[in-house]
Each structure stands twice: as structure tokens, then as C-alpha cells.
Amino acid sequence: MLPDIRTPLPGPKSRALAARLRSVEGANVTFLPQDESFPIFWESGNGCLITDVDGNQLLDMTSAFGVSALGHGATAATQAIAKQSNLLLHGMGDVHPTVAKLELCEELCRTSGLPAAKVILGTSGGDAVEAAIKSAILRTGKHRVVAFDGGYHGLNLGALNATARHDFRMPFHRHLADFVTHFPYGSPLENLPDDTAAVLVEVIQGRGGVREASTDWLMHLRSLCDAAGALLIVDEVFTGFWRTGEVFAHRHHGVTPDIIACGKVLGGGMPISACVGTGDAMSGWPVSTGESIHTSTFLGHPGGCASAVATLRSLSDMDASATVNRLGAYLRSHLDLIARKHTRKVTSIRGKGLMLGIQMDAHGAAVTLSDALLQNGIITLPAGNGDVLELTPPFVVTEHQLDFVAGAIDQALTL
Ligand SMILES: Cc1ncc(COP(=O)(O)O)c(C=O)c1O
């Protein structure tokens, strides 16, 4: 099914709702320009298609921030949530657990492949990163974290220390501690700074512009960590759960991390994330004596856990790896042709599986392209410095839909 646009975008209902939202939501949250050119209010979803409040159907090439791998409205998640919510929607995650939490932890340990793995659940990617950093601090007794330029690890005040975007950090710079040292992404380091507890790295930087780490560099980070007694944390919040064609992106490189931070795809649309580490990496945590030093009200949320378990099982049943590799190669071949045709505007195509980026020649060029695609009913996101168009569609996208998207990109670049 392809986009079906019946009104100017945004339509009249979206515009009216945006005016209402402007009067009640914090000013920095939703982009609500005075010319009303944005946003589109979503009403429902089915597979890759989103129906907006004006009855337009749009093609989601983002999986809504890389989450909805099985497509919008996927029954694995909705049925699991319905079943769990009839039993118990909310529980007491770190006090009286549910079977759903146990099953998710078991599933994550198995999927991670890490020896004697242990899990700490959270509700956002930033939570997972913070739990990973805390685990490394406790295990090593050291305090420094090495992270990389262009890295995005979340905006919670803890995770923001590691996120390298100046615009996100600047308003809060006085509240950021100096325990994170940033180095250029992909460049070899002579050694790790003294007192390094962890190296935190994205195998492919998503929001940073679909920038890929090389196997050599990841191996180099692994050996630096080993030499310094630091832990290697891979932030797989975006890349995890087959987004790149492997269950985790580090598997493409044969590098074994100590800790994996993950989220997004995991919950099947429910806000749930996890820090999964080797038994050794997670061994710094004191055994709970009744009061956990790292928890939250919604930790191990039963509905979220049930949705996550069903999503992971469904992805594994559908052979997500084969599906993503096949569709990713198909989209990639379209994008490579586009790059060859529009050499002045497109400088490279990057990424793996269904996490692909079109590197444009100028800052902001991907924003312009994304806006043009939206007018054709295609939802995309710019990344990097607005110079990379990121394509991370649901794994249920069809070749026909990818043909349509490629055609629209080609046409927009031709204008
Ligand atoms: C690699 C990576 N880490 C962490 C995060 C933060 O996740 P959340 O927005 O769920 O806190 C993101 C979000 O895009 C991400 O891409």
C-alpha cells in the first residue's frame, strides 16, 4: 500500500490540533512553526502506513524513531499487551516481580549471547545507557567514561554527559560533570585516559548521521579496554534487534562487548529498555537487601515486558535477519543508483540492513529533502547536521513501497 494524500499537508484538522497543542505543551517539545507547515497528527497505523487525523495515509520510513520493526499495529505486541493488561497492567518491578519480567530477562540474556548475562531493565534508551555506565563504575571502581564525537546516548542528565551534541548540552553545561572524555569517532586512541571505567560506543551512529565504525577500530577499542581494565559498552539502542541485519550490530564485527545498552525495537512500541552485561561486568552491583539503589516506578512494567517478549519471539520467528538483509540490500541498490545519478547532491550511502543514510553535500540539505518527501506522503528524518537522510523503515516494508520511496527521492533531487 502506498501513500494516499487527500488534503494539503498538514491537513486542516492537523493544523487546528497544532494550534491547541501550542497553547498547552512546553515550547521546546513539538516543532510548531507559525506557518503551520508542521506537524501531522497521527491517528492510527497499519504496517508501514500511518493514517493522519485528516484521513491521509503516509508511509513511515522511520519506524517512528526506529522502534516499530514489526510495523505499526503489529499484533504480536498488541495481543500480548491486551492479554497482560487483563491480568495486571502495572506491578512492583523491583519488589514483587511478574512472570513477564522474568521471561523478558531470560529472553534478553539468551539473545545477548553474553556469558552468565544479567539484565537491568529501564524505560528509555537513556536509562539503559545510564545503567550501563553505573555498572561499569561499580565493577571497575573507576570513574571516567570515554565516548565519541557525534555520539547520541539520550538526554537524561546522566546520559547527556556522553551525548556529544553541543546544542543539547550547552543550556545545561554547568550541570554536566566532566567524567566523560570525547574522542573523534573512528580515530585510533593512543591509550585510554587514567581511571577509565568504560568506553561507550555506537557501532553505527544513528542520530549522528548513520556513521559506521570499522571492525579494526572496534577491535582496537576492545583491546584498549582489556589493557586498561575498562569495560566496553556498546550502545545498541538504535542498532539492536536486527535493525542492521544482525541481532546486534557488534556481531557484524566479531567484537564482544561487556555490556549492551538496548531499547527502541525491544518493546514493540512500549517504552522499555535494557542494560545487558556479562555476569562479570554486572558483578559490581551490591546484592539488594530490600532497597534497590537503581530502580524506578515502572521498572519491569508488565505490559512492556509482555510486549517485548512477544516482539522478540516474533522477530525471531519471521527470521528478521534474512528479511532485513534482503530488504536492506534492495533499498541499498536503489540508493546506490540515486547516488550515482545525483553525484553533486549525494556524496555517499551508508549503513547496514534497514538502517541506511544518504549523505548529502550540505548542512540542512537532508532537512529540505525530508520536507519534500513529506509532501509526497513519505515520513523520514534528517540526521547528523541535517546533512544525512536517515531511512529506518519497519521490517515489513514491501519492495513496492521501497520502489516508491526511491522514485520520490530521485524526483526530489532532480528538481
Ligand atoms: C544510540 C542511542 N542511544 C540512546 C538513545 C536514547 O534513547 P531514548 O530516546 O529512548 O532515551 C538513542 C535515541 O535515539 C539512540 O539512538
Side-chain angles (χ1 to χ4, degrees):
M1 293 228 287
L2 296 178
D4 178 11
I5 305 304
R6 297 165 177 207
T7 71
L9 289 174
K13 288 186 181 162
S14 269
R15 286 172 192 242
L17 291 167
R20 278 171 59 192
L21 188 63
R22 187 181 292 111
S23 65
V24 290
E25 191 181 38
N28 187 251
V29 184
T30 307
F31 175 48
L32 297 162
Q34 288 298 338
D35 69 2
E36 299 185 339
S37 60
F38 214 81
I40 289 164
F41 271 72
W42 293 14
E43 189 166 80
S44 62
N46 180 13
C48 293
L49 282 184
I50 294 295
T51 302
D52 76 1
V53 289
D54 290 285
N56 299 301
Q57 290 200 319
L58 299 104
L59 194 50
D60 175 19
M61 288 296 286
T62 72
S63 304
F65 302 130
V67 169
S68 303
L70 289 169
H72 296 283
T75 49
T78 54
Q79 286 175 358
I81 297 163
K83 188 169 162 210
Q84 182 61 47
S85 63
N86 281 328
L87 291 171
L88 181 76
L89 186 57
H90 169 65
M92 296 181 76
D94 69 309
V95 178
H96 301 294
T98 58
V99 174
K101 181 176 93 160
L102 167 64
E103 285 185 352
L104 177 57
C105 290
E106 286 174 343
E107 197 77 34
L108 282 167
C109 287
R110 199 182 51 72
T111 310
S112 77
L114 298 177
K118 292 275 192 300
V119 177
I120 297 176
L121 295 175
T123 45
S124 69
D127 274 359
V129 168
E130 293 184 356
I133 292 175
K134 282 185 177 178
S135 303
I137 292 169
L138 290 175
R139 171 64 185 85
T140 61
K142 302 178 188 179
H143 81 284
R144 184 148 298 281
V145 172
V146 164
F148 298 96
D149 295 344
Y152 186 84
H153 303 286
L155 300 183
N156 319 21
L157 209 43
L160 184 59
N161 282 283
T163 290
R165 281 265 305 256
H166 177 71
D167 49 345
F168 294 148
R169 298 170 60 91
M170 211 256 297
F172 310 106
H173 71 275
R174 293 184 62 185
H175 299 88
L176 297 176
D178 84 342
F179 71 89
V180 180
T181 310
H182 288 98
F183 289 96
Y185 186 73
S187 298
L189 279 59
E190 264 175 34
N191 42 39
L192 295 178
D194 284 348
D195 225 14
T196 299
V199 171
L200 170 65
V201 65
E202 287 161 271
V203 178
I204 301 178
Q205 287 188 338
R207 207 159 170 185
V210 194
R211 296 163 74 204
E212 297 176 79
S214 70
T215 300
D216 283 353
W217 187 63
L218 291 169
M219 295 272 194
H220 165 70
L221 296 183
R222 176 71 272 175
S223 47
L224 284 176
C225 286
D226 291 343
L231 302 190
L232 180 63
I233 304 172
V234 286
D235 181 345
E236 297 249 18
V237 169
F238 208 150
T239 48
F241 306 110
W242 295 281
R243 167 63 55 199
T244 68
E246 280 279 356
V247 59
F248 291 110
H250 66 265
R251 298 271 184 95
H252 291 285
H253 303 281
V255 173
T256 307
D258 298 292
I259 301 181
I260 305 167
C262 54
K264 290 199 189 275
V265 163
L266 175 62
M270 292 293 274
I272 193 149
S273 65
C275 156
V276 190
T278 65
D280 181 54
M282 302 296 279
S283 66
W285 289 96
V287 174
S288 174
T289 52
E291 196 109 62
S292 170
I293 61 168
H294 181 85
T295 187
S296 61
T297 304
F298 295 108
L299 181 143
H301 184 265
C305 289
S307 176
V309 169
T311 299
L312 292 185
R313 289 182 184 160
S314 233
L315 285 166
S316 151
D317 289 349
M318 77 183 271
D319 194 355
S321 178
T323 306
V324 169
N325 282 320
R326 179 177 58 78
L327 290 167
Y330 189 81
L331 177 57
R332 175 94 194 207
S333 63
H334 267 309
L335 299 183
D336 285 340
L337 276 179
I338 287 172
R340 282 203 288 279
K341 182 168 169 193
H342 300 278
T343 43
R344 232 171 26 83
K345 292 184 179 167
V346 175
T347 57
S348 65
I349 306 297
R350 290 196 298 267
K352 282 192 171 59
L354 285 175
M355 183 173 187
L356 296 175
I358 303 175
Q359 174 71 58
M360 313 281 295
D361 65 331
H363 289 188
V367 180
T368 309
L369 177 57
S370 182
D371 289 346
L373 292 173
L374 190 59
Q375 289 307 315
N376 283 294
I378 301 167
I379 299 161
T380 57
L381 282 172
N385 295 310
D387 56 345
V388 178
L389 188 83
E390 187 181 87
L391 299 170
T392 59
F395 305 170
V396 295
V397 70
T398 63
E399 292 184 357
H400 187 43
Q401 287 169 334
L402 294 175
D403 293 342
F404 178 81
V405 170
I409 294 173
D410 180 25
Q411 195 183 22
L413 291 174
T414 304
L415 293 177

